Structure formats: C-alpha cells, structure tokens
Amino acid sequence: MSRQKELLCDAFAGMHVQVDRWLAELDRTPAFYFDSITQLRMDTWSKGRVTLVGDAGYCPGPAVGGSTSLAVVGAYVLAGELARADGDHERAFPAYERAMAGYVRSSREVALSAAKTLIPTSRLGVRGLVQGARLISALPAGPSRALLRLTTKSARLHNSVVVDDYPASTTASRRRAGLAGDAPGGLGEGTVTAS
C-alpha cells in the first residue's frame, strides 16, 4: 500500500494546492483504495448449465457507463433465447452469446474511448478535463445538456440497441430454465430461483 501512495504522490504532487492537501492526507487515512481500470474479456460466458449476464460476463469497465444497459439487455436476450430453445440451455446459451456479441464489442470500444477522456493519463489531460467540466457547468442547463448529448457515444450506442421480439415462454420451458411460477404469458413473468 505504501508503494501505491508513493505512485499517487509522484503522479499528482504539485498539480494544484488542493491536490497537494489531499495527498498529504494519504498517510493519515484509515481507508485507502487504489485499483486499476480494467475491462473483463472472456472467450465464452457459459459453461455447462451456468452462464454469466452483465458485469460478470462483459463489463465495459468502471467509470465509463453502459453496464446497466448491457445487463438489462443481456438478461432479456438470455430469457428470450431460453424461451426460443424451449428451455434447452445447450442451444440457448450459444445463441445468447451470438446475439450479444456485437453489442458487447461496441460497448467495449466506446468504453475504452470514454476512459481516455474521463481518466486522463497526464497532467495536461487532467487540466483539460477540469477546464472542460468548468466550461460545461458554466453553460445554461439547456445548452449544457445538448452539448453532453452530442459528445456521448455511450448514450447513442445504448439508446440505439435493437433486440429480437422473442416468443412467449411456456410454463414447462420456464420450469426447465429455473423459473418459478405458473402465470401464463411472455418473458419476465415468474421469479428466478437459486438452487
């Protein structure tokens, strides 16, 4: 932990009086967290009767946005593919991965681009981020929101996702897929059970 604190001081000392005050607190704080910004990548999200959804399988990375959208779309697609395969996970899981692959890939690309902006790697980059934030916050609310919408690739990506209109699942296929409940109808009915 002392090496991590040393790295922070080396990178940010002298940047600003306020930053120097924060760095001085490093040795006094009982709570210290230091981690890297990473992106999880796996060859497959499924093994046997288990598959991953959302951050567990394809998190684009912290601080860049999109994780919730990916998780919700992923859960919908997984449920839809299970319904389409009549609960047969051996057919549904690969179909789910194929259906999500392009969206996940695009989300990761946008996340890497956003990370370069949100997490600067130089003093000049930090100063630019601070000045940009000041400029945006000084604008009236309408133009400020419009400017942010124009520059947010992530929002455009997640707002333009298209998913299949899956068939309603049968009670038998919901039971095979691990869903409880006998209510008739489409996806989303019943409760996921843990066994």
Side-chain angles (χ1 to χ4, degrees):
M1 188 179 328
S2 62
R3 176 69 180 135
Q4 292 172 334
K5 291 178 182 180
E6 182 182 321
L7 289 170
L8 281 176
C9 289
D10 289 349
F12 298 107
M15 182 175 288
H16 188 274
V17 174
Q18 184 66 23
V19 173
D20 289 338
R21 283 187 35 224
W22 295 333
L23 293 172
E25 294 297 319
L26 286 175
D27 290 327
R28 291 189 279 276
T29 184
F32 178 76
Y33 178 77
F34 186 97
D35 201 358
S36 63
I37 301 294
T38 57
Q39 197 175 71
L40 179 64
R41 292 178 182 247
M42 294 184 290
D43 294 332
T44 182
W45 310 319
S46 307
K47 185 173 182 177
R49 292 190 53 81
V50 175
T51 194
L52 303 174
V53 176
D55 285 355
Y58 37 81
C59 177
V64 293
S67 289
T68 302
S69 296
L70 278 167
V72 170
V73 171
Y76 173 80
V77 170
L78 175 59
E81 293 299 339
L82 282 165
R84 185 178 278 161
D86 200 29
D88 180 356
H89 71 280
E90 290 178 352
R91 288 185 316 163
F93 290 175
Y96 152 67
E97 291 188 24
R98 281 190 305 275
M100 289 295 294
Y103 180 34
V104 169
R105 190 172 31 260
S106 295
S107 180
R108 287 176 175 160
E109 290 166 5
V110 167
L112 290 174
S113 174
K116 289 177 184 172
T117 302
L118 295 173
I119 307 162
T121 58
S122 68
R123 289 173 187 236
L124 182 61
V126 171
R127 287 194 174 107
L129 179 63
V130 169
Q131 293 303 321
R134 284 185 183 148
L135 173 64
I136 289 171
S137 66
L139 292 172
S144 178
R145 280 192 300 270
L147 180 62
L148 286 173
R149 275 194 301 272
L150 288 174
T151 60
T152 306
K153 291 179 189 176
S154 180
R156 286 194 303 269
L157 169 70
H158 298 297
N159 288 336
S160 65
V161 137
V162 177
V163 294
D164 282 356
D165 186 14
Y166 290 102
S169 63
T170 64
T171 301
S173 67
R174 284 200 313 270
R175 283 196 179 121
R176 278 195 298 279
L179 300 174
D182 291 324
L187 300 176
E189 296 184 6
T191 307
V192 176
T193 57
S195 34

